[in-house]
Amino acid sequence: MSTTDTKSNWVDPDDAPELTDEWFEKADLKFGDRVIRRGRPPGATKQLVSLRLDTDVLTALRAQGPGWQTRANEVLRKAAGL
């Protein structure tokens, strides 16, 4: 083995670090090579909910591409007068 060879210390998949909610919140979200989101901003107070939407509304939102949920949130904020 030459001195330029490297040896991986990783042996077992069980040795991989646990992927926690905190890890995902700090992770960069990418679409191809383009960064869409850089972790959750400090103080973000979003809540996960279940919402039923008409199929055509959901299709139109998703057709706008990545970030459609954020844009939907903006539309709802305006409709709520916020």
Side-chain angles (χ1 to χ4, degrees):
M1 183 183 261
S2 75
T3 58
T4 58
D5 290 340
T6 59
K7 182 178 178 187
S8 173
N9 292 332
W10 187 71
V11 178
D12 185 343
D14 291 335
D15 292 340
E18 181 180 353
L19 302 181
T20 62
D21 288 340
E22 180 182 8
W23 183 90
F24 280 103
E25 287 176 2
K26 292 180 181 179
D28 291 349
L29 179 61
K30 294 184 177 183
F31 184 75
D33 291 335
R34 193 176 94 202
V35 175
I36 298 171
R37 176 181 61 86
R38 292 212 178 269
R40 181 161 292 169
T45 56
K46 293 193 176 184
Q47 186 174 2
L48 180 63
V49 297
S50 177
L51 176 67
R52 293 183 183 273
L53 300 172
D54 293 334
T55 302
D56 57 341
V57 172
L58 184 58
T59 300
L61 288 169
R62 287 181 171 164
Q64 295 175 12
W68 68 269
Q69 291 172 318
T70 299
R71 288 189 296 277
N73 187 68
E74 291 168 3
V75 169
L76 290 169
R77 287 183 66 78
K78 287 180 185 177
L82 302 174

